[in-house]
């Protein structure tokens, strides 16, 4: 039981082992046994009676949400779970106690399916243990999203934040406004040049979107694996793809808009007028209806250029009619109006930290402070629940080393050790502020993640470190974690994950030439963090930060 990841609260090692042969029986309440079976697919456990079952499961609500206790003795495995998620996570821990072949899709002949005897008591340190996947900049087919859910589940991560819309693409069907996916879901080319170089493009069309049925499937698949899908439609900025489809919603509707073919941020912005609010609430409802239960809905609110609002006589008149003094106040009002509409449908709104700094949020709005600890603490002190998402060390589009052998990253460097050392709720904060930190999440922005293989490389094993921090509630012990993550890589190998080796990229994972090669030192992450902190001190901080 030495190499479990994330680390359980209590691990006691006994003597001897138990066999759980493929096809063994599992007994207990059907929702719990189904969860254990799903966590151990290769074993194909069969429902049976308690007297003959190798695995017995019972519900114990006293353990709390997502918690479990598991005892392994010579006569089999006994699991007590606080709920279905707890049973599923007990199954994932049991999977790690088996040989690494338990992570394969089919039985490997000659495997000894034994587990060491002992006891595990476990439960999460944070309720929000997230992974953010940007499918707007670089679209990922549905199969990659489902695979990401599987990888999250085996690491006890439970929030999949899907960034579904940005300047570079709109990624979900709308039956009410079909031009969103017919026009906004594709671009004719993508930039290949680095910042400061002469513009160059690949000339290759890029696109794709999920149907509403796809969303329903993704959500159901995730729920079965204790993962909640958190959709994001980023407004009112990051709107080029929306406005390419429906330019009448722009602050300057006379302009011509296109899906952006380069990285960075466009000044294109949705108008804050009632027609836009009606449009967005209709689209939000479509997405929520497709997903089913939507406890959280992210509406962005970040990096908005408000100049076109100030220049519009119609928008200025609307602002005055609301009794608002500035476009910053109007930005806050607009997001509050959308949050109120989402609340009527049972969803809590989530925003990036610019929306908090500009004020007027609903008290139940969750803030993701990407610009660092200082703005996170201010949001917590103001009474908002916070999910820690700082660029350092939770932006996995940054390279893992300042080396030209790395594939191109936004900057450098964020290492596995950096992630493992992160404290989402710093111990020096007052307890009431620490209690407001409900979780932590890593971000996979996809300007430099063009496909699933690159997603694997960026996400793992840094995602293993994020899972450790999220589940245990604080930093990992460096030496102990290093040993456990190295052993855990054998499980990822069996699962088929093309992770970044701890020693550096494999020959075929290196950056190659041109835009795919990393430029060491071009963007230093700690310089970025100092700059972001300075920007977050101003209430007029909705403008793009980089």
């Amino acid at each position: 039981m030495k190499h479990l990841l994330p680390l359980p609260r209590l691990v006691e090692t006994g003597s001897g082992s138990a066999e759980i042969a493929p096809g063994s029986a599992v007994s207990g309440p059907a929702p719990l046994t189904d969860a254990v079976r799903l966590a151990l697919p290769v074993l194909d456990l069969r429902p049976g009676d308690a007297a003959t079952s190798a695995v017995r499961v019972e519900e114990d609500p006293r353990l709390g949400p997502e918690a479990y206790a598991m005892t392994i003795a010579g006569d089999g495995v006994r699991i007590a779970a606080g709920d279905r998620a707890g049973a599923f996570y007990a199954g994932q821990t049991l999977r790690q106690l088996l040989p690494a072949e338990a992570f394969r899709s089919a039985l490997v002949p000659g495997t000894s399916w034994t587990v060491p005897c002992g006891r595990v008591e476990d439960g999460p340190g944070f309720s929000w243990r997230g992974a953010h996947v940007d499918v707007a900049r670089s679209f990922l087919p549905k199969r990659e999203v489902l695979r990401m859910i599987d990888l999250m589940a085996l690491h006890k991560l439970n929030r999949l934040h899907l960034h579904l819309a940005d300047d570079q693409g709109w990624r979900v069907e709308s039956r009410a406004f079909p031009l969103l996916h017919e026009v906004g879901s594709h671009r004719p080319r993508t930039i290949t040049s680095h910042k400061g170089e002469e513009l160059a493009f690949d000339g290759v069309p890029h696109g794709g979107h999920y149907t509403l049925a796809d969303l329903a499937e993704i959500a159901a698949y995730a729920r079965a694996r204790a993962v909640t899908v958190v959709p994001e439609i980023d407004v009112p900025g990051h709107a080029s793809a929306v406005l390419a489809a429906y330019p009448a919603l722009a602050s300057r509707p006379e302009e011509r808009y296109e899906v952006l073919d380069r990285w960075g941020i466009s000044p294109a912005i949705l108008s804050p007028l009632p027609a836009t609010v009606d449009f967005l609430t209709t689209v939000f409802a479509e997405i929520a209806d497709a997903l089913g239960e939507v406890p959280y809905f992210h509406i962005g609110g970040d990096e908005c250029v408000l100049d076109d609002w100030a220049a519009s006589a119609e928008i200025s008149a609307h602002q005055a009619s609301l009794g608002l003094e500035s476009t910053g106040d109007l930005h806050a009002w607009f997001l509050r109006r959308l949050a109120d509409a989402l609340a009527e449908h049972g969803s809590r709104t989530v925003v990036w930290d610019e929306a908090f700094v500009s004020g007027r949020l609903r008290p139940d709005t969750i803030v993701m402070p990407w610009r660092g600890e200082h703005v996170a603490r201010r949001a917590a002190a103001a009474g908002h629940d916070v999910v820690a998402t700082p660029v350092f060390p939770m932006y996995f589009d940054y390279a893992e080393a300042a080396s030209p052998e790395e594939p191109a990253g936004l900057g450098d460097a964020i290492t596995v050790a950096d992630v493992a050392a992160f404290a989402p709720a710093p111990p020096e904060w007052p307890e009431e502020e620490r209690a407001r930190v409900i979780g932590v999440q890593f971000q996979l922005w996809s300007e430099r993640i063009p496909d699933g293989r690159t997603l694997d490389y960026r996400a793992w094993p840094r995602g293993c470190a994020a899972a450790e921090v999220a589940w245990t509630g604080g930093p990992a012990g460096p030496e102990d974690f290093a040993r456990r993550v190295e052993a855990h890589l054998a499980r990822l190998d069996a699962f088929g994950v093309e992770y970044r080796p701890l020693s550096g990229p494999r020959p075929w994972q290196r950056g190659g030439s041109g835009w795919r090669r990393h430029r060491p030192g071009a963007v230093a992450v700690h310089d970025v963090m100092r700059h972001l902190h300075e920007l977050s001190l101003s209430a007029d901080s909705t403008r793009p930060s980089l």
Side-chain angles (χ1 to χ4, degrees):
M1 294 194 176
K2 295 179 180 179
H3 298 133
L4 295 174
L5 193 155
L7 185 68
R9 290 178 183 171
L10 172 69
V11 179
E12 295 178 345
T13 302
S15 60
S17 63
E19 181 180 6
I20 310 176
S24 293
V26 57
S27 63
L32 304 188
T33 58
D34 287 349
V36 172
R37 295 174 66 205
L38 190 62
L40 292 158
V42 76
L43 288 186
D44 190 25
L45 299 177
R46 311 291 176 84
D49 61 79
T52 60
S53 294
V55 181
R56 302 177 197 173
V57 192
E58 64 180 12
E59 186 170 6
D60 185 352
R62 294 173 300 176
L63 292 172
E66 303 183 293
Y68 65 92
M70 180 167 60
T71 302
I72 303 168
D75 61 347
V77 179
R78 306 294 178 264
I79 295 170
D83 56 11
R84 185 188 180 280
F88 182 75
Y89 292 141
Q92 292 292 354
T93 298
L94 185 57
R95 189 182 192 182
Q96 291 193 12
L97 293 171
L98 288 160
E101 282 69 27
F103 291 82
R104 296 190 181 276
S105 299
L107 293 171
V108 174
T111 304
S112 175
W113 298 103
T114 60
V115 291
C117 292
R119 178 171 175 78
V120 177
E121 294 182 3
D122 204 6
F126 288 117
S127 62
W128 187 299
R129 307 180 302 280
H132 163 284
V133 181
D134 171 16
V135 295
R137 273 55 174 264
S138 296
F139 180 71
L140 288 172
K142 180 184 66 178
R143 64 178 181 271
E144 298 290 353
V145 177
L146 299 179
R147 184 173 179 277
M148 186 66 179
I149 291 168
D150 284 333
L151 284 165
M152 291 176 63
L154 68 86
H155 291 92
K156 300 184 175 74
L157 296 164
N158 69 346
R159 301 282 186 266
L160 174 60
H161 176 174
L162 277 182
H163 188 79
L164 291 167
D166 216 295
D167 287 302
Q168 293 81 11
W170 176 277
R171 301 300 177 207
V172 60
E173 174 190 17
S174 172
R175 293 172 186 162
F177 300 101
L179 293 182
L180 283 173
H181 63 271
E182 292 172 1
V183 173
S185 68
H186 55 94
R187 57 182 184 262
R189 61 183 187 173
T190 301
I191 193 168
T192 58
S193 51
H194 291 287
K195 184 177 181 180
E197 297 176 347
E198 184 177 351
L199 291 180
F201 299 87
D202 61 9
V204 178
H206 179 86
H209 70 276
Y210 309 112
T211 66
L212 294 175
D214 289 336
L215 280 192
E217 178 187 0
I218 289 167
Y221 191 88
R223 274 193 295 272
R225 290 154 181 81
V227 174
T228 298
V229 175
V230 181
E232 180 184 359
I233 301 297
D234 198 349
V235 295
H238 295 269
S240 296
V242 178
L243 297 179
Y246 293 97
L249 297 173
S251 300
R252 300 177 64 181
E254 70 280 2
E255 295 288 322
R256 181 174 180 270
Y257 298 90
E258 296 179 343
V259 179
L260 211 61
D261 58 9
R262 64 202 69 189
W263 313 133
I265 299 154
S266 165
I269 187 170
L270 295 168
S271 84
L273 299 175
T276 305
V277 173
D278 292 343
F279 170 89
L280 289 174
T281 53
T282 299
V283 173
F284 290 177
E286 282 188 297
I287 293 170
D289 288 346
L291 289 171
E293 298 176 28
V294 186
Y296 313 102
F297 202 117
H298 204 303
I299 62 173
D302 61 311
E303 297 183 321
C304 299
V305 181
L306 303 179
D307 296 351
D308 286 351
W309 286 8
S312 166
E314 184 178 14
I315 291 173
S316 295
H318 181 59
Q319 176 184 312
S321 73
L322 297 170
L324 302 174
E325 295 184 2
S326 68
T327 54
D329 292 337
L330 184 59
H331 174 262
W333 173 88
F334 177 78
L335 296 174
R336 174 66 180 258
R337 178 67 186 85
L338 295 174
D340 287 342
L342 286 169
E344 292 175 4
H345 288 86
S347 297
R348 285 182 73 181
T349 294
V350 189
V351 295
W352 299 110
D353 66 54
E354 291 96 326
F356 158 71
V357 173
S358 62
R360 297 176 183 263
L361 291 181
R362 284 177 57 94
D364 62 352
T365 297
I366 298 169
V367 177
M368 288 188 168
W370 68 283
R371 293 184 294 181
E373 175 184 321
H374 300 281
V375 69
R377 183 172 179 182
R378 284 157 52 205
H384 290 286
D385 285 343
V386 166
V387 177
T389 58
V391 170
F392 182 83
M394 288 293 155
Y395 269 37
F396 290 2
D397 51 333
Y398 279 73
E400 295 176 68
S403 166
E405 289 196 342
E406 292 290 328
L410 175 59
D412 50 62
I414 294 175
T415 67
V416 173
D418 291 330
V419 180
F422 181 52
E428 62 270 20
W429 289 13
E431 183 54 39
E432 61 270 21
E433 294 173 7
R434 287 170 48 82
R436 284 292 181 182
V437 180
I438 63 170
V440 61
Q441 176 175 288
F442 63 86
Q443 280 58 242
L444 290 158
W445 298 104
S446 66
E447 291 93 333
R448 295 163 183 84
I449 302 178
D451 51 41
R453 298 185 78 176
T454 310
L455 186 78
D456 269 8
Y457 184 90
R458 292 291 188 214
W460 315 104
R462 289 186 293 188
C464 304
E468 174 90 359
V469 169
W471 184 260
T472 63
E479 293 183 7
D480 171 67
F481 177 75
R483 286 192 296 270
R484 285 186 292 114
V485 77
E486 188 167 3
H488 185 70
L489 296 182
R491 301 172 187 136
L492 299 187
D493 286 330
F495 198 88
V497 181
E498 296 192 86
Y499 58 85
R500 180 190 186 273
L502 297 173
S503 59
R506 297 180 174 94
W508 60 89
Q509 294 175 317
R510 292 172 187 162
S513 61
W515 69 276
R516 291 187 179 275
R517 182 181 291 274
H518 186 56
R519 297 192 302 167
V523 178
V525 68
H526 293 290
D527 292 342
V528 170
M529 291 305 296
R530 282 191 291 271
H531 175 61
L532 293 176
H533 167 58
E534 292 169 1
L535 288 171
S536 72
L537 298 176
S538 169
D540 183 22
S541 66
T542 62
R543 284 184 173 273
S545 301
L546 295 175

